[in-house]
Amino acid sequence: MSGTPSARVPLAASANVSASNIGNALGAWLGGFAISVGLGYTAPLYVGAGIVLIGLVVMLVAARRSGRSESDTTDRRPMA
């Protein structure tokens, strides 16, 4: 793999799309599983909320470990 950033863009884009596809399939499977075990037709709503909470926790842990906050990454120069 080349060391230039432009050579890594397609790999990062394909990894992003793959993660989205896996999340979509996993969410549908977990929602269907919740219905099939008898939790009712509203159970996928709670399954989805749980998945969102897990994703939020993962994002917050990753942000804390990176040592950068959103304010560190924004450009504070006035627009000309």
Side-chain angles (χ1 to χ4, degrees):
M1 188 163 151
S2 177
T4 61
S6 62
R8 293 183 222 152
V9 171
L11 180 61
S14 65
N16 190 19
V17 170
S18 296
S20 177
N21 288 335
I22 290 170
N24 192 12
L26 184 64
W29 183 81
L30 287 173
F33 181 74
I35 292 171
S36 70
V37 296
L39 297 177
Y41 290 116
T42 58
L45 299 172
Y46 301 111
V47 170
I51 291 171
V52 168
L53 287 175
I54 290 170
L56 182 63
V57 168
V58 168
M59 183 207 54
L60 291 173
V61 168
R64 182 173 292 265
R65 285 190 179 185
S66 73
R68 294 173 32 189
S69 65
E70 184 179 334
S71 61
D72 294 339
T73 59
T74 57
D75 190 7
R76 296 189 180 265
R77 290 179 286 168
M79 298 194 54

